[in-house]
Amino acid sequence: MADESVDAMALNLEDPVLGQSLTLTFRNICYRRKDQNGGRPKDIIKNVSGRFQPGRLVAILGPSGAGKSSLLGILSGLRQTGFIGTIEVNGYMLDRRKYRQQCVYIQQDFNLIEHLTVLETMSYAAELKMPNRSEMVRKKKVNEILHILGLDGGMRTLVKKLSGGEKKRLSIGIELVSNPPIILLDEPTSGLDSVSAMELVSYVKTVASEGRTVACVIHQPSSSLFQLFDDLYLLSAGMCIYDGPLGGMVGTFAESGYHCPKFYNRADFALEVASKPLRELEQLVHRYNRLAIDRKQSRQENSIKDDRLASAPTVDDDDIGPEDLPASSRPRGRYQISQWKQFYVLLRRSLRVTSRDFFFAQLRVIAHILVGVLLGAVFYQSGEDGSLVMVNGACLFFFQLFIFFGNAMPCVITFPLETKVFIRERLNNWYSLEAYYLSKIVADLPLQIICPSLFLAIAYYLTGQPLEWERFQKLCLVLLLLGIFAQTVGLLSGAAFDIQMATFFVPCFSIPSLLFSGFFVKPYEMNEYLSYISYTSFFRYSLQGSMQAIYGGNRAAFPCSKDICYYNKPSKFLKFMDTREDGYWENVYVLLGFIAAFQVILYVVLRFRLKIYQ
């Protein structure tokens, strides 16, 4: 009895905004995609209309290239350009951004944060999507969703350990937190075995039966799976050839001369018919168009009757705004909670993920300690001997190399997967780009401080650098800034490219800077025109700042273990390295400028990636 009561009330907590049932109507949708190679544009969707009603599970079916996913992207509100037509919700043409509050789109390639548990994933989603709710109410809602989706038995399981079907169900569950009245799914059963697919669609069927409008793009369903759907929307080469109850499809096709054999999978039969050339399907297309016209006239007649009964002036749909809707159905702002609250939740989530990521956090700390010991052993006490000044210069240069690549490459490898999660959550209006961007930067600061500090504390002592607190602080500041810059470069490459391209980008980006850093070839030894390029090298400023921290500030001459030490005076070595004695803070400010500039570029790249997916 307890389970039945939970099922009955599941996902139906009071929500004054999203609690009502909504009918999704679209008319005369046409979508043409441009050819990236300069060829002729291709018509993907050709003048289709339809109506998805609450409480009924709709299957969008069709052969490959029929336009199923493109149609779903348009109906979800994510695709905002390149198509014509109208989309209405309960007869109102709503603002597209506010429509995104009432519609969730669960894509085929659904990425989750693997280092969170099922319960944590749902809890963070509840905090981001349930405003003005107490913690107890959020926990109750989360537990009910996990129960109805069959995930309550593995709430403490990490996402990376879930099966494919469980991940699919969890992807639906996190969107159900806000109780959305419209749910669109793109091939939710792809990659699942028949049992998992049946379980998933059964759960989706339960969600639809509670009064939501649910439509799924489905790919070659089995007969038992297909019969779970209430309605069928069948596409062929961008045109609709059937839109209606699933049970009426066989009879309708029989009227047009297409007979389904007995005991034959109706989904396979529908796909076989839809795969025929359009010239053979003219009768079905004409029938669909005739029904669409009849429905439109029926709606217009009903609208006229309603206007006369109400004795009210007619209002054009385009003039209807959220203020004209009932109070219970007016959407909130674009986000459910304030940006500061978003930042707080995302910061907590990022810190928890970072602490569990062995490669990104734990192994990174271990690597800094081990490399610090290794460099200390190779360059042991090189900073105390005047005969080893050049060796110590190479030691400082290796400090720069390790700090840069040790902080850039982990971000390159881990950030692309997180970028996909960010894009999905951001497009579904979970939080703003600014909140995510700021939380990501702040969450990584502890590692940016801990790792270089541990490395330098070990290497600084072992290599025999001067035991002066001010010099250590100055060198530490330069390396911290270089580490933050390296992290920014890693995040930028990970956000702009896929993993393969990103790992190629960082070395290619840094090699010219290394070449013009002044360690291998001094600017005065280069061609006059090439020497100006050295001013664009961030390694030049970090290396000069490190040299000035160790050898600047009127440091006394070195003790020499050999008869002749040419660079026994620090000023002489700095002059050879084309480094001023008093320019430390100038180099620090330039490094801060590099960081600021690349942070802005990272922000622009993230915003551009969002534009691509819209």
Side-chain angles (χ1 to χ4, degrees), residues 491-510:
L491 293 176
L492 174 61
S493 59
F497 311 108
D498 57 21
I499 294 179
Q500 291 82 3
M501 187 62 186
T503 52
F504 178 75
F505 170 80
V506 172
C508 290
F509 171 77
S510 57

Side-chain angles (χ1 to χ4, degrees), residues 46 63-64 66 234-241 256 258 269-286:
K46 308 168 186 175
S64 298
L234 185 59
L235 290 171
S236 175
M239 301 185 69
C240 182
I241 60 174
S256 301
Y258 300 103
F269 172 65
L271 286 172
E272 289 175 6
V273 173
S275 299
K276 296 181 180 296
L278 277 178
R279 62 178 180 273
E280 299 181 17
L281 302 175
E282 290 183 358
Q283 187 173 350
L284 289 174
V285 173
H286 289 324

Side-chain angles (χ1 to χ4, degrees), residues 351-467:
L351 289 173
R352 176 166 291 180
V353 170
T354 300
S355 66
R356 291 178 182 168
D357 192 335
F358 176 76
F359 177 79
F360 187 77
Q362 301 169 28
L363 187 60
R364 191 167 159 192
V365 173
I366 295 172
H368 277 75
I369 294 174
L370 293 179
V371 174
V373 173
L374 178 63
L375 285 179
V378 173
F379 296 98
Y380 185 71
Q381 300 301 317
S382 63
E384 294 182 345
D385 195 339
S387 64
L388 298 176
V389 173
M390 294 299 295
V391 174
N392 198 50
C395 173
L396 294 177
F397 181 72
F398 269 94
F399 283 7
Q400 322 295 311
L401 280 180
F402 175 71
I403 290 298
F404 180 81
F405 287 102
N407 288 276
M409 298 311 294
C411 296
V412 168
I413 297 172
T414 59
F415 196 61
L417 295 178
E418 190 171 331
T419 303
K420 295 177 181 179
V421 176
F422 155 69
I423 290 173
R424 169 183 57 79
E425 293 178 344
R426 172 63 180 78
L427 292 178
N428 278 338
N429 289 336
W430 285 37
Y431 45 76
S432 67
L433 171 60
E434 292 75 17
Y436 173 80
Y437 174 80
L438 186 60
S439 69
K440 187 64 182 174
I441 299 302
V442 175
D444 286 342
L445 280 179
L447 276 179
Q448 295 302 320
I449 296 174
I450 293 172
C451 291
S453 299
L454 285 174
F455 165 79
L456 184 60
I458 297 170
Y460 191 92
Y461 176 76
L462 292 178
T463 56
Q465 307 304 329
L467 298 178

Side-chain angles (χ1 to χ4, degrees), residues 510-529:
S510 57
I511 285 175
S513 184
L514 287 170
L515 184 62
F516 288 93
S517 64
F519 180 78
F520 301 102
V521 182
K522 310 300 179 291
Y524 58 80
E525 297 173 335
M526 299 180 188
N527 181 284
E528 180 181 358
Y529 299 103

Side-chain angles (χ1 to χ4, degrees), residues 163-166 168-169 188-189 191-203 225:
S163 65
E166 290 172 330
K168 291 278 187 178
R169 278 181 270 158
T189 60
L192 302 182
D193 58 74
S194 57
V195 176
S196 299
M198 179 64 71
E199 290 179 351
L200 178 63
V201 176
S202 298
Y203 293 129
L225 182 68

Side-chain angles (χ1 to χ4, degrees), residues 15 23 47 84 128 132 190 197 201 208 230 302 312 401 502:
D15 192 321
T23 299
N47 195 34
I84 58 174
L128 289 167
N132 305 321
S190 62
V201 176
D230 300 302
N302 292 334
L401 280 180

Side-chain angles (χ1 to χ4, degrees), residues 27-332:
R27 302 172 186 166
N28 308 119
I29 300 293
C30 298
Y31 170 53
R32 174 175 292 182
R33 184 169 58 198
K34 296 181 179 179
D35 192 308
Q36 297 180 350
N37 298 322
R40 296 182 59 184
K42 182 180 179 181
D43 291 325
I44 305 299
I45 301 175
K46 308 168 186 175
N47 195 34
V48 300
S49 303
R51 189 180 191 187
F52 299 156
Q53 298 178 342
R56 300 184 67 82
L57 182 58
V58 182
I60 301 177
L61 197 64
S64 298
K68 306 183 295 297
S69 296
S70 298
L71 177 62
L72 213 62
I74 293 171
L75 297 182
S76 68
L78 292 184
R79 184 175 297 280
Q80 301 181 15
T81 59
F83 75 94
I84 58 174
T86 60
I87 302 173
E88 298 177 356
V89 177
N90 278 4
Y92 295 104
M93 296 178 63
L94 298 179
D95 178 82
R96 197 168 292 273
R97 287 188 175 183
K98 295 174 182 176
Y99 167 66
R100 293 291 301 136
Q101 286 291 338
Q102 299 179 316
C103 173
V104 295
Y105 178 34
I106 302 175
Q107 297 172 314
Q108 178 181 355
D109 298 325
F110 198 95
N111 295 279
L112 297 166
I113 300 178
E114 294 188 340
H115 297 287
L116 294 177
T117 65
V118 172
L119 182 60
E120 289 167 348
T121 301
M122 291 293 297
S123 298
Y124 285 125
E127 287 191 68
L128 289 167
K129 303 179 73 173
M130 293 182 66
N132 305 321
R133 294 289 189 271
S134 66
E135 184 178 357
M136 183 179 297
V137 173
R138 288 199 300 267
K139 285 184 178 179
K140 185 179 180 182
K141 182 73 172 285
V142 167
N143 290 332
E144 289 171 352
I145 294 175
L146 291 177
H147 176 79
I148 200 67
L149 293 179
L151 295 172
D152 49 345
M155 291 191 296
R156 306 294 177 182
T157 305
L158 290 176
V159 170
K160 65 181 179 181
K161 296 181 179 180
L162 297 178
S163 65
E166 290 172 330
K167 287 182 179 180
K168 291 278 187 178
R169 278 181 270 158
L170 180 59
S171 68
I172 296 173
I174 61 177
E175 297 296 349
L176 292 179
V177 166
S178 60
N179 199 19
I182 301 175
I183 303 174
L184 305 175
L185 301 100
D186 189 5
E187 298 196 19
T189 60
S190 62
L192 302 182
D193 58 74
S194 57
V195 176
S196 299
M198 179 64 71
E199 290 179 351
L200 178 63
V201 176
S202 298
Y203 293 129
V204 174
K205 174 78 170 179
T206 303
V207 170
S209 65
E210 293 178 343
R212 291 174 183 79
T213 301
V214 184
C216 301
V217 170
I218 201 75
H219 181 68
Q220 288 187 325
S222 64
S223 180
S224 56
L225 182 68
F226 195 48
Q227 69 182 4
L228 293 176
F229 291 89
D230 300 302
D231 296 326
L232 172 65
Y233 195 86
L234 185 59
L235 290 171
S236 175
M239 301 185 69
C240 182
I241 60 174
Y242 182 79
D243 176 19
L246 184 62
M249 178 197 67
V250 174
T252 301
F253 284 2
E255 294 176 2
S256 301
Y258 300 103
H259 299 279
C260 180
K262 290 183 178 181
F263 311 111
Y264 197 71
N265 185 353
R266 289 180 294 174
D268 292 338
F269 172 65
L271 286 172
E272 289 175 6
V273 173
S275 299
K276 296 181 180 296
L278 277 178
R279 62 178 180 273
E280 299 181 17
L281 302 175
E282 290 183 358
Q283 187 173 350
L284 289 174
V285 173
H286 289 324
R287 181 185 181 280
Y288 163 77
N289 292 333
R290 186 174 65 254
L291 289 176
I293 294 174
D294 293 341
R295 290 173 183 172
K296 183 177 180 180
Q297 291 176 348
S298 177
R299 284 194 296 266
Q300 291 175 346
E301 291 173 359
N302 292 334
S303 176
I304 293 173
K305 291 179 181 179
D306 292 340
D307 290 339
R308 289 175 178 174
L309 290 173
S311 299
T314 302
V315 181
D316 187 73
D317 284 345
D318 293 335
D319 297 329
I320 296 176
E323 65 278 359
D324 301 308
L325 296 174
S328 63
S329 62
R330 293 175 189 167
R332 297 186 183 99

